[in-house]
Amino acid sequence: MSIVQAALKKAIALAPDSWIPGGSPDPLIRERHGHVGQPVSRIDGPLKVAGKARFAAEFPIEGLTYAALHYSSVAKGRIVEIRTSEAEQAPGVVLVMTHRNAPSLAKAPAFGTNPKAAGGDDLAIMQDDRIHWNGQAVALVLAETQEQADHAQSLIRVDYEVDAASTSFEQAIADGTEPGQFMGEPLKLRIGDADALFATAPAKVDATYRTPGHNHNPIELHAATLAWSGDELRVHDASQAVTHAAWTLSQIFGIKEEQVHVTSPFVGGGFGSKTLWHHQILGAAAARLAKRPVRIVLSREGVFRTVGGRAPTEQRVALGARRDGTFDAIIHTGVTAMTPHNAMTEPFIIATRSLYAAKSFRLEVDTVKLNTVANTFMRAPGEAVGTFALESAIDELAAEIGMDPIELRIRNEPERDPTQGLPFSQRGIVAAWRAGAERFEWYKRQQRPRSVRDGDWLVGLGCATATYPYYRMPGGAARITVTRDGRAIVAVAAHEMGMGTATAQTQVIADRLGLSMDQVKFHYGDTSLPGIVLAGGSQQTASVGAGVVAAHRALVAEMLKLAGNDSPLAGLHPSEVGGFDGGLCALDDHDRRESYASILARAQRTEISVEAEASMPLEMQHWSMHSHAAMFCEARVNEVTGEVRISRFLGSFDCGRILNPKTAASQFRGGIIMGLGLALMEETQLDERTGRIMNPSLAEYHVPVHLDVPAIDVIWTDEADPRTPMGARGVGEIGITGVGAAVANAVFNATGKRVRDLPITLDKLL
Amino acid sequence: MTPFLYEKVSERGDALSLGTHPGAAYLGGGTNLVDLMREAIARPTLLVDVTGLSCKIEEDEKGGLRIGAGVKNTAVATDRRVRARFPLLAQAILAGASAQIRNMATVGGNVLQRTRCAYFYDDEAHCNKRSPGSGCDAIGGFNRNHAILGASPACAATHPSDMCVALAALDATVSIDGPRGSRDLPLTDFHRLPGDAPEIDTELRSGELITSIVLPSNGFSKRSSYRKVRDRSSYAFALVSVAAALELDGGRIKNVRLALGGVAHKPWRAHVAEAALAGRPATEAFFAEAAEAELRDAKGLRDNTFKIKLAKRVIVDSLVKLSNAKDAPR
Ligand SMILES: Cc1cc2nc3c(=O)[nH]c(=O)nc-3n(C[C@H](O)[C@H](O)[C@H](O)COP(=O)(O)OP(=O)(O)OC[C@H]3O[C@@H](n4cnc5c(N)ncnc54)[C@H](O)[C@@H]3O)c2cc1C
């Protein structure tokens, strides 16, 4: 951090609350109009059930061609010869694109290098003969049908000159590590002398935990339909970052940002993977070369080869405590993998920075580079695997000193952020623990492992803390249009990946404007709309919320001007006015009001439209803002076979105000299911001899099936965070955190065996 | 996918004459063959759809069953006679794949499904089964699903079928018809060990068609079980599976059948264990001794050594449960 940045950070921390967004709480926290908090069903549900929601690969365009990719089979080296003539002559083939004939492309600006960069890596593929990873696209076939393209692709033959590659995580660690960075900040933190305090602590644990690589497997395959007209590029994408994708494509093709129009009305799951990878870039390049529109849909194998996933980690957690459980030292260090062509470090220490009080801390992430597809964000990057290590270690310490693991956690509950010193905006983890423990009947747990048996099955209970930060990125904006018939359209370049954004935002907007849900339309998923809104970091709800807050303020001010002196609202300051019952009213006197229709009619306007940018997200540096959950798991381990089955699971959440219990519960449950996969089965099998992923299919890359998932109970505190828009914090990612440890701790309680190496497969318990 | 011709036949004779064409392959439900074609691992130029042939389950006078090769896996598993007389077979089929796949898959296709070895599936890898003589990447690579019994330096792939493990235990016979006439083979002799020709999975000769599977009647219907151990609760291939059947005479073993899945290039009939148990008291100690004997020659690779212990445990556990079962188990 530069001196200027450091000084600014300090100034924001010390500023009076009232200068900071959230300093005076969003009126919508207090004002209850009846939509927010209701379990409203998804407004796009009927469209989806009827098959009428159009996804990226479903946009019809005249003269469409279909793309198939041919992937390299070596991790590093160069192409000596690429034989494409057989493919070129195959039926229906329009063209074969390789490095010999691809249009010139600039390097993809990689995520994090610019506020609008969306590239998974910073490479320009097919610009030369170099190979950077096993699975890199080396040729693209365009044909009249998908089947013809797939077949022609299989006829391509490539000879490589192979260079030595780094494809073993273990070997790379032995060869030496480098310090890691996350979003421009070093992943390193020291407070006090943790090593000295650890050495003399009367109670301690010191263990190494390992998590494997994971691949993204959203149901909807990564896909785009692309068309050029002149220098204008139109992309129907499956995207969680439309504005970012458009800007990045404009940089690659050397055109203006406005010349790229990206739409993405529906996305079938993203989890951090639906950004910009080489398939969209190569698809656009091929469309330019062929002068025809292109549809590119990655096969499931193609997703494994083209789209990165979660990097492997090796983490040490050492906890030094007093006999009563008070932490003196927290050491959380380790190594993760990245690639020479990206800047994403899996930041597994983030949760450890704010979860527990301790006298001293030493936190550090180091990295090694592997020649693989670039690793990337995957649901709760950092926390998902970091909490596995930390929360397992805490369970180990609890067992060591004979203390209940929940009490041990509560014993170390901090009063302020333990490493930044900031006050918490709102923190209800203790309440979540108490409510969860009661509901799960935690008191029934036997402290001694191997105490409960049901036939062949050993039964154990385990728990862990889940956590995820509140984020809000700069760039939020919104446009609100109110028409004379009293309806509103709110437009933001946001995304609906199936989590219910459109539904929850419609509820919020209806309440903010004082309208019914059917009087509100939420437009999103299109770069022609305002805002730079990433559907990532669980921040979209806050980002859109803050944009709408700003636009709403502007709308109220404009409306008051239009209303003039003849209105019951005359004389009120915009901050004293809110939306109510189809119009505006004084916040402290709902009888002073006038409807939108009446204001617009009197002013002889058919509509009013305002656009505004959200405030800078300074609240994140003024308060320590985090969501939490207490995760409870009952695991059964078969004594004969080592098979693990999860028979009960409860997540007790503290995530601020829950805007829609139905969609939020689905996010929580979905996160927990993904966490069960992380705990028990997900693992990318990277063959270290070749750097090739050997399980690129859903038959071999295991995610939980229905039978692996018990009924999952979720509850929440529903306590508003006074510092966030609507009092809400994100609910998308937290569900996966803590689950790995809750499962491992339950398995320990069942069997007395501590598995520190994910996934917990049966061979580790035999 | 390489372009191909498709012909659906309704007479066995037509199937056999088309089946001798170079590049011809019989097509059952296509759940395995079509996948392999998509991956360009199988490249037939003529598909002869035989799902219209041999679609019946018939019984013989002694209570045995003849199951046509074209009968769907689901139809076998839900057949009342199968469930009553050969519950082991129904259990094994239901432990495999998914309901959707079982609805499509045929008995003939199930017997002839190919290995799930990842290196066999990746045409960039070395695989003696896919391209003979190219080497085996699995032996030094990912081999969690691979063989611990009967493997060779050329190949350690496993046969993935659950159904066939039950058939091996139940003394099933495969009925075959072909250009040079019809013949019968015991299922346990139908699949081969890899040796130095792992590209040949079975004894079926070119152009030959499986017409049916014959199950002789037996006295096991009261005490039999199929136990499949896998990496998730459903929709995963067996790491180890055990088909076990017992007939007791007082406390002694009158008759026993044991077969293992997920451990070898073929459904592994545990002859050694069976011989060790015949006539012995049905006690855990004898079961353990028999399991030990069966797996004496087992060899683990990098990722699958645990299967040796696992197989022994599941054998013993299955037999203990069957011998303790009062009447009909489960
Ligand atoms: C994701 C997935 C998971 C699976 N999991 C399991 C599992 O857990 N356990 C399990 O046992 N199986 C599993 N299977 C495999 C499944 O059981 C087989 O794919 C199925 O039984 C094959 O039957 P089919 O009729 O579709 O065969 P096809 O694919 O049609 O044919 C397979 C082979 O048999 C040949 N053939 C078909 N009929 C005849 C005949 N009458 N005579 C001669 N040759 C013939 C074909 O030429 C081809 O070579 C799984 C499959 C998939 C895709």
Side-chain angles (χ1 to χ4, degrees), chain A residues 216-269:
Chain A
H216 276 291
N217 275 297
I219 288 289
E220 182 204 22
L221 298 162
H222 292 64
T225 305
L226 311 105
W228 289 93
S229 67
D231 270 347
E232 308 256 323
L233 175 62
R234 185 176 180 85
V235 186
H236 300 288
D237 199 7
S239 179
Q240 54 192 100
V242 285
T243 311
H244 306 70
W247 180 83
T248 308
L249 283 167
S250 75
Q251 300 296 303
I252 293 166
F253 286 93
I255 52 181
K256 292 203 211 78
E257 187 178 1
E258 309 79 65
Q259 289 175 301
V260 186
H261 184 186
V262 179
T263 72
S264 190
F266 298 103
V267 182

Side-chain angles (χ1 to χ4, degrees), chain A residues 592-717:
Chain A
R592 267 184 87 181
R593 64 201 231 203
E594 184 172 7
S595 72
Y596 299 125
S598 152
I599 296 172
L600 289 172
R602 190 146 33 79
Q604 301 190 345
R605 293 277 294 265
T606 52
E607 64 170 47
I608 176 170
S609 188
V610 297
E611 188 175 321
E613 284 179 17
S615 56
M616 281 300 287
L618 302 181
E619 68 273 23
M620 287 157 51
Q621 293 168 56
H622 189 75
W623 290 283
S624 174
M625 305 177 76
H626 298 268
S627 285
H628 296 96
M631 298 291 194
F632 295 85
C633 174
E634 180 183 271
R636 290 164 179 257
V637 181
N638 190 294
E639 253 211 302
V640 178
T641 60
E643 292 159 292
V644 181
R645 298 286 180 263
I646 306 304
S647 41
R648 288 197 297 142
F649 205 100
L650 165 69
S652 172
F653 291 83
D654 179 52
C655 293
R657 186 154 172 226
I658 297 302
L659 301 176
N660 179 332
K662 195 168 184 175
T663 53
S666 291
Q667 287 297 304
F668 293 148
R669 289 204 178 92
I672 289 168
I673 293 169
M674 212 160 156
L676 294 177
L678 170 142
L680 298 174
M681 58 193 83
E682 277 201 54
E683 176 165 22
T684 297
Q685 296 181 339
L686 185 80
D687 192 319
E688 297 184 349
R689 298 166 301 179
T690 55
R692 192 163 179 84
I693 294 173
M694 291 312 301
N695 55 345
S697 88
L698 283 174
E700 321 299 328
Y701 182 98
H702 285 176
V703 298
V705 296
H706 281 293
L707 210 50
D708 293 311
V709 181
I712 295 173
D713 196 8
V714 288
I715 56 176
W716 47 81
T717 58

Side-chain angles (χ1 to χ4, degrees), chain A residues 73 151 456 638-641 643 645 685-687 689 692 694 698 702-703 705 707-708 761-763 766, chain B residues 1-3 118-119 122 124 137 140-142 144 227 229-233 236 306 309 313 317 321:
Chain A
S73 58
H151 171 59
D456 288 342
N638 190 294
E639 253 211 302
V640 178
T641 60
E643 292 159 292
R645 298 286 180 263
Q685 296 181 339
L686 185 80
D687 192 319
R689 298 166 301 179
R692 192 163 179 84
M694 291 312 301
L698 283 174
H702 285 176
V703 298
V705 296
L707 210 50
D708 293 311
T761 48
L762 58 91
D763 47 302
L766 271 183
Chain B
M1 200 185 277
T2 307
Y119 300 91
D122 182 357
E124 301 286 359
D137 280 346
F142 290 104
R144 184 175 177 81
R227 176 70 163 102
V229 182
R230 47 185 148 176
D231 274 330
R232 60 182 168 188
S233 311
F306 72 93
K309 189 172 180 184
R313 285 192 180 189
D317 188 62
K321 289 202 170 100

Side-chain angles (χ1 to χ4, degrees), chain A residues 699, chain B residues 25-33 35 50 69 73 95-97 101 105-106 108-110 112-113 116 160-162 204 208-210 228 235-237:
Chain B
Y26 296 122
L27 178 70
T31 60
N32 187 222
L33 182 57
D35 272 4
V50 293
N73 285 193
I101 292 172
T106 61
N110 190 317
L112 287 166
Q113 64 175 295
R116 309 301 294 200
S161 169
D162 290 301
L204 199 70
E208 280 187 328
L209 181 72
I210 298 182
K228 178 176 180 181
Y235 204 41
F237 291 93

Side-chain angles (χ1 to χ4, degrees), chain A residues 118-155:
Chain A
D121 61 45
D122 63 3
L123 295 168
I125 292 296
M126 285 193 204
Q127 297 298 293
D128 57 31
D129 57 4
R130 308 305 311 184
I131 302 298
H132 303 272
W133 78 89
N134 192 326
Q136 173 190 323
V138 294
L140 180 153
V141 178
L142 276 192
E144 301 294 343
T145 69
Q146 188 66 56
E147 290 73 18
Q148 290 170 331
D150 289 342
H151 171 59
Q153 172 283 116
S154 75
L155 303 174

